[in-house]
Amino acid sequence: MKKRIIVSLFAIMTMSLSFALTGCFGSGGSGGSSDGTGKEPSITYTSISTASELQAIANQGGNYKLANNIDISGSSWSPIAGFTGLLEGDNYEIQGLTISGNNANSGLFSTLKGTVQNLKITSVNITGTGDAGTAGAICGTNEGTIKNVTASGTITAPYYENVGGIAGKSSATLTSCVNNITVSGYDNVGGIVGKIEGISTTAFSANTNNANISGNANVGGVLGVVAISNTGWSSWTISITNNTNTGAVSGSDNNVGGIGGSIVGNAPSSYTHAISLSSNSNSGVINGKDNTGGIIGYGSYVTEITASTNSADISGNNYVGGYIGRSDNTTIKIATNNNTITGRGYVGGIAGYAGAIDNCTNNGRVNSTAVIVESSDSCAYVGGVAGYAVSATKCTNNTDITVSHAGQYVGGVIGYLAGVSSSTVDTCKNFGAITGGGKVGGVVGALAITNTGWSTWNIVVTDCDNEGTVNGSENSVAGIIGYAVGNAPSSYTHSITFSSCNNKGIVNGKDYTAGIVGYGNYVSEITASTNTANITGSNYTGGYAGYSNGTSVKIATNNNTITGRAYVGGIAGYIGMVENCTNNGDIISTGVVVESSTSCAYVGGITGYGTGAYKCVNNAAINVTSNGIYVAGIIGYVNTSSSTRIEQNTNVGGISASSYVGGIVGSMVITNTGWSTWTVKVENNENTGTINGSGQYVAGIVGYAQGNHPSSYTHSINFSNNNNTANIDASNYVGGIVGYGDYVDKTSAVWTSNTNTGTISGSNKGPLYGYLK
């Protein structure tokens, strides 16, 4: 017998507010609006106490309420069709839902267009035998509202798409549900819902999955896939908040996540659209292939993930992360990983591949099991925080990162940072040992601006620190960034700058190895940074920069041993202008490079190769035993420009080398210019270190100085107010100031300002110069 009952005013107010927000009353609902007294009118329910009464609400509207637990286990259930009303469970149970076969929509309801709330459904047993079905404990398809529902049992549909513990697929509201059903399906499989589709705005929140979820692709602990595939809305926002997964999630194919397997949108760029995730948590172990993550496996049009947590191990193939497998342009904020993240390529403690990373920390192991081949290169893309990102702010890695297979792009914080016009690498720190192949950095493996339409860009790397040992078996290895390059037309305003960065970790690599940046292009300057560790490489090795063409280094000191083959310096191997730099460390050259059949060393206390030096000091002995040329206390080889300055530099250390040797500069050459007028000044420099050269072109200030221009040009190299107090010894062209000079100002008034008090030994020698052409 059906009974009519009246609910309390509190329940009335709660449900009425919910219905008003969601607009999900069925056509037969009798709820009303306020009568002006501040009280809500009561709702009249039809009571349900038997399985047959429950079945009878098919194709009905109106409001129904369970009066007791109902057992429907007697036979295979026929899903309720056409329901548009409200079913209030009143926290009673529906027990023993059993469905088998190949059904289009399997569940308590087939397609739900009304509201189901405050209900428990237990001992669910749904078995899908074909491949055409959609299945969930409450419904196959949800077009209404499901709220505060708890389900337990088993759903097994190995060939179904759209399988969920609560609903197979949904285009409406689904909140505050708990799933304890073990769910297995094919594609689009989730603990709460298999697929969310086609909605311009929704709240998907406060749902929990506690059961194991398995499938092929698009598998998630809470939801399998969100697909906004075809829209005419000028604005849409999808919010996924406060959801929890504790169950193990496994996918035999791609797109597997603790909260969502795949979350994608599609809209013209002129539209306002966003998918956001916040305050979600995963503690279930996640296993998949490509695009596997603790929060989401794959994302598109996902704007950000904030204040979420993963506390489980994650393993997959390519694009694997503690929070995101792959989600282009997604910002991740306030995230910490303490677990083991294992993948092949594009692997990170927080993300395999994402956008900006902000306030994120990695404390867990990050494992790369193999390389991926891109453009014939073996690549790893592995970072303690992210394998690939576009920006990193206030991020920290505390764990060793080891890539044993020699893959490229490995960093303590970011493996590969694809710079955009707003990119920064700010206040990032690494404390773990970092080991990889090439393009390896304590903070970032590689920073690259590869394709831009911006007329102005400036990428800032600031306040970054590395304290871990960095080892690279190939080229471009550094304490901060192994490889930093830009690409833009010369008419553009563009630069990469390093400031206030500090390296304390020993760095070992091959070519392009340094404390701050291994290889740089479009790097404008390195300022107020420090290196306090030994650096060992091959060609292009320096305390701050290995190779960074045109870059100025300001306010830098090296106190450590810098060891390389050729192009070696206490501050840089190959650089632009150096200012206010000091070297107190040993500089060791282990060999030569052969250029135009000539054995060259390019070794300097400050830099092996540069464009100028101002107020620099070398206090260490420079000893090159390889017979390579171009060796000096400050710069081994200066390739001058019209604005070159060799001013107020001091060398104190003794120097022993072959030819083209100087206390300040080994060789200075103006090779090819378009300037009609130029004057290079060499002034106010001092050498007090003994210099021994086994060959020619040796001097206290500049061993060899030469220009090259048409005679109609106005040009000169001017030496003034330089001083040498040390003994100089070589075989030929030996001078206290210059060994050999061409295009050098010979004016006696200029030369009288230079002084020498050291003994000069060799052929073609002089107290000030050996020979001026």
Side-chain angles (χ1 to χ4, degrees), residues 291-376:
N291 310 326
T292 299
I295 302 299
I296 65 172
Y298 178 82
S300 173
Y301 285 81
V302 177
T303 54
E304 66 179 23
I305 296 177
T306 60
S308 297
T309 62
N310 170 63
S311 55
D313 293 347
I314 312 295
S315 63
N317 194 11
N318 297 321
Y319 306 102
V320 182
Y323 287 67
I324 287 178
R326 176 168 184 169
S327 190
D328 299 15
N329 304 316
T330 299
T331 297
I332 306 178
K333 297 180 179 179
I334 315 173
T336 298
N337 175 61
N338 297 312
N339 306 283
T340 299
I341 312 300
T342 302
R344 192 167 176 233
Y346 292 97
V347 186
I350 303 299
Y353 189 117
I357 311 294
D358 187 2
N359 278 280
C360 294
T361 300
N362 177 58
N363 301 313
R365 291 179 59 192
V366 178
N367 299 326
S368 174
T369 60
V371 298
I372 56 177
V373 178
E374 296 181 348
S375 302
S376 300

Side-chain angles (χ1 to χ4, degrees), residues 477-480 503 507 512-518 531 535 540-546:
V477 182
I480 304 299
N503 175 59
V507 180
Y512 316 118
T513 299
I516 304 298
V517 58
N531 171 63
I535 310 295
Y540 305 101
T541 302
Y544 288 69

